[in-house]
Amino acid sequence: MLHSTLPEQTKFDKKTKHLLALAAAAAMGSEHCIRNQMRESVALGATEEEVLEVLVIAAYMGMTRSQSYSFRAYAEQFGRKLE
């Protein structure tokens, strides 16, 4: 559930706000928030396909940070130049 920290009147409808919150929770790895935001999104009309797309995007964005750190460490370790 999104708390009162967010304004009631925004440019996004409630379903979209919960899908955005789901994406953030998934990218950050917050299991409790993932479950809550997914449940709220579905209750507000999100389809299985919409939820899956949000999770795929969030997973991709969440892994880019670890990939970036990993490949920089790899390049440093093995004397390679990253472009």
Side-chain angles (χ1 to χ4, degrees), residues 4-39:
S4 61
T5 55
L6 297 176
E8 278 297 313
Q9 293 194 5
T10 69
K11 301 295 181 190
F12 297 105
D13 59 71
K14 284 186 177 187
K15 180 182 89 170
T16 302
K17 285 195 285 190
H18 283 279
L19 286 170
L20 290 168
L22 173 59
M28 298 299 295
S30 176
E31 193 172 342
H32 173 75
C33 292
I34 290 168
R35 291 179 190 283
N36 285 337
Q37 294 306 328
M38 191 178 303
R39 184 172 35 253

Side-chain angles (χ1 to χ4, degrees), residues 26-76:
M28 298 299 295
S30 176
E31 193 172 342
H32 173 75
C33 292
I34 290 168
R35 291 179 190 283
N36 285 337
Q37 294 306 328
M38 191 178 303
R39 184 172 35 253
E40 290 292 325
S41 296
V42 171
L44 290 165
T47 65
E48 181 179 349
E49 292 81 12
E50 288 173 320
V51 169
L52 181 58
E53 186 172 352
V54 164
L55 295 177
V56 168
I57 292 168
Y60 178 76
M61 296 309 294
M63 79 176 171
T64 56
R65 178 177 52 188
S66 65
Q67 283 180 333
S68 176
Y69 295 153
S70 300
F71 287 121
R72 281 192 297 228
Y74 168 84
E76 183 179 308

